[in-house]
Amino acid sequence: MIELIKRTKPVYAVYNFFHKRQLAHNIPLLKKLGLKKKYYSSLSSKDFTGLPEGISESITTDRQKLAACALFRNISDRARESLLSFDDKGFAIIDRYLSVQQADAVNAEIGRLLEQRKLKLNERNKIMFAIHASGLIWNTGNNEDLKEVLSALLGGKAILFQSINFLKGSEQATHSDSIHMTTFPLGGLLGVWIALEDITDENGPLHYYPGSHKLPYYLNSDYGNEGNALFLGNKSYADYEHMIAERIKAQKLEKVKFFAKKGDLIIWHANLFHGGDPHLDKEKTRKSMVFHYFKENVICYHEITQRPALIKQYR
Ligand SMILES: O=C(O)CCC(=O)C(=O)O
């Protein structure tokens, strides 16, 4: 019964109805697209099929803007090259983005907020939305120099949407963020992952598949999870993971592990396959932090639950 309620779309619509402030940004966008949807209506990729080509600007790096960014001019040659190859590879690495002291300050802040019960580890070992509990973490994600670079990669203004902190490796199976935080037009999202301590094979490195962002966006219709007007699809998340594993095998994609040093940062494309390797030494921690940003004026929604994304633009 509970499962059925969780799959009932009107339940989400009622919840959305009472969160207009966090969904109001979609009202002009839905109108511009000519979609007969209210701010509280369900949203999934199916709703955007058949819209005329070119209704929205493309999402690619503005290289001129990138070259002019203060951060771009102050990083290593390797990091600059990595940013310049973002469209081709689907990721970019900036080594030593945070100093050891800055990473330590974030770790201390998370420890304190957990102790004070202002944050908690959820059932998947994630600490969600520390940006709304901590000025330090909010400001780290909203660093103007970083956002300038992200905006150049997106070809439009990057807006911080969500944060996740980890104390241990996520061990999350390979996926693309676009199944969780989908945008119209597709690709209007970036993930930024920062190592808050050194990462080895022992403590669950992040992994990714270079170039995989060029594959199609695998969404509900690709694994029979579209559902109908009243109910969400009834496929499990394991079905999605299985589909991705099959695609990786079929395409013979090469996995890369990110053996980051404390303070290193990786930016991934909305459609880059990535995940967390097994955390082998459970005595060790793997402190890390992820920020997700979307591009201003895209519609951001959650494909699986067919919900528009609620955006809280303040602390
Ligand atoms: O940190 C990890 O191991 C994976 C994180 C991840 O996949 C995500 O945030 O989308």
Side-chain angles (χ1 to χ4, degrees):
M1 186 63 182
I2 290 182
E3 275 315 302
L4 194 65
I5 293 171
K6 277 193 191 161
R7 285 186 44 232
T8 306
K9 289 186 182 180
V11 172
Y12 296 106
V14 171
Y15 181 84
N16 292 341
F17 182 81
F18 292 105
H19 289 81
K20 185 169 182 180
R21 205 148 67 114
Q22 289 164 49
L23 290 168
H25 57 278
N26 281 341
I27 296 171
L29 300 175
L30 292 168
K31 194 166 163 204
K32 184 174 147 203
L33 295 173
L35 290 179
K36 294 203 178 358
K37 289 263 173 186
K38 304 287 186 199
Y39 73 89
Y40 50 83
S41 307
S42 70
L43 270 184
S44 72
S45 54
K46 199 175 169 184
D47 296 310
F48 299 101
T49 50
L51 287 179
E53 289 278 323
I55 196 157
S56 293
E57 50 192 304
S58 69
I59 294 173
T60 46
T61 300
D62 183 330
R63 293 172 80 91
Q64 238 176 340
K65 279 214 172 106
L66 181 61
C69 289
L71 179 62
F72 187 80
R73 286 185 273 113
N74 285 317
I75 51 180
S76 64
D77 289 347
R78 219 164 72 180
R80 263 197 296 272
E81 271 167 39
S82 188
L83 282 166
L84 287 169
S85 67
F86 182 80
D87 286 346
D88 186 41
K89 303 237 173 82
F91 71 93
I93 292 170
I94 304 179
D95 49 299
R96 285 173 291 156
Y97 170 73
L98 289 186
S99 66
V100 167
Q101 292 77 4
Q102 286 171 316
D104 285 343
V106 171
N107 289 334
E109 178 86 337
I110 291 291
R112 189 166 50 245
L113 291 167
L114 284 172
E115 217 172 88
Q116 294 170 351
R117 295 171 193 265
K118 291 185 178 152
L119 287 175
K120 64 173 170 40
L121 271 173
N122 72 12
E123 64 289 351
R124 285 168 294 147
N125 272 334
K126 294 179 175 186
I127 302 165
M128 300 301 299
F129 288 107
I131 46 173
H132 297 315
S134 156
L136 174 70
I137 295 172
W138 172 265
N139 290 335
T140 306
N142 273 304
N143 178 285
E144 287 305 330
D145 288 348
L146 175 62
K147 284 208 300 187
E148 195 186 14
V149 163
L150 301 178
S151 299
L153 295 182
L154 283 171
K157 189 175 168 194
I159 296 174
L160 178 62
F161 161 54
Q162 185 223 57
S163 68
I164 314 173
N165 283 73
F166 296 92
L167 301 181
K168 299 270 175 175
S170 73
E171 303 190 327
Q172 207 173 329
T174 307
H175 61 281
S176 143
D177 280 348
S178 292
I179 192 70
H180 298 291
M181 290 159 288
T182 324
T183 62
F184 181 84
L186 289 166
L189 181 120
L190 291 174
V192 167
W193 185 101
I194 305 176
L196 296 172
E197 65 182 316
D198 293 352
I199 311 293
T200 68
D201 236 340
E202 301 294 294
N203 63 346
L206 178 84
H207 68 246
Y208 55 93
Y209 289 82
S212 56
H213 65 302
K214 292 182 180 164
L215 292 172
Y217 287 76
Y218 297 116
L219 300 170
N220 281 338
S221 61
D222 297 293
Y223 68 114
N225 194 40
E226 279 178 302
N228 56 36
L230 209 54
F231 293 108
L232 301 176
N234 61 0
K235 292 288 157 95
S236 70
Y237 188 63
D239 292 324
Y240 168 80
E241 292 174 342
H242 181 70
M243 169 181 63
I244 297 300
E246 290 293 310
R247 297 291 197 274
I248 288 170
K249 217 162 37 177
Q251 298 284 332
K252 299 191 172 59
L253 297 178
E254 187 204 341
K255 179 166 98 168
V256 175
K257 297 184 202 176
F258 185 33
F259 295 119
K261 291 282 175 213
K262 192 175 193 167
D264 288 354
L265 172 154
I266 181 169
I267 304 167
W268 62 68
H269 183 280
N271 201 35
L272 189 81
F273 288 170
H274 65 278
D277 257 37
H279 188 134
L280 300 175
D281 184 348
K282 302 288 188 219
E283 298 297 306
K284 292 192 167 137
T285 53
R286 195 216 68 180
K287 295 180 183 170
S288 60
M289 174 161 69
V290 184
F291 295 117
H292 287 108
Y293 302 80
F294 67 92
K295 180 179 167 177
E296 188 177 44
N297 293 334
V298 301
I299 296 186
C300 186
Y301 60 95
H302 305 288
E303 171 76 345
I304 295 178
T305 51
Q306 305 194 21
R307 290 179 296 127
L310 278 80
I311 312 297
K312 202 166 155 185
Q313 272 309 309
Y314 52 86
R315 261 191 356 104

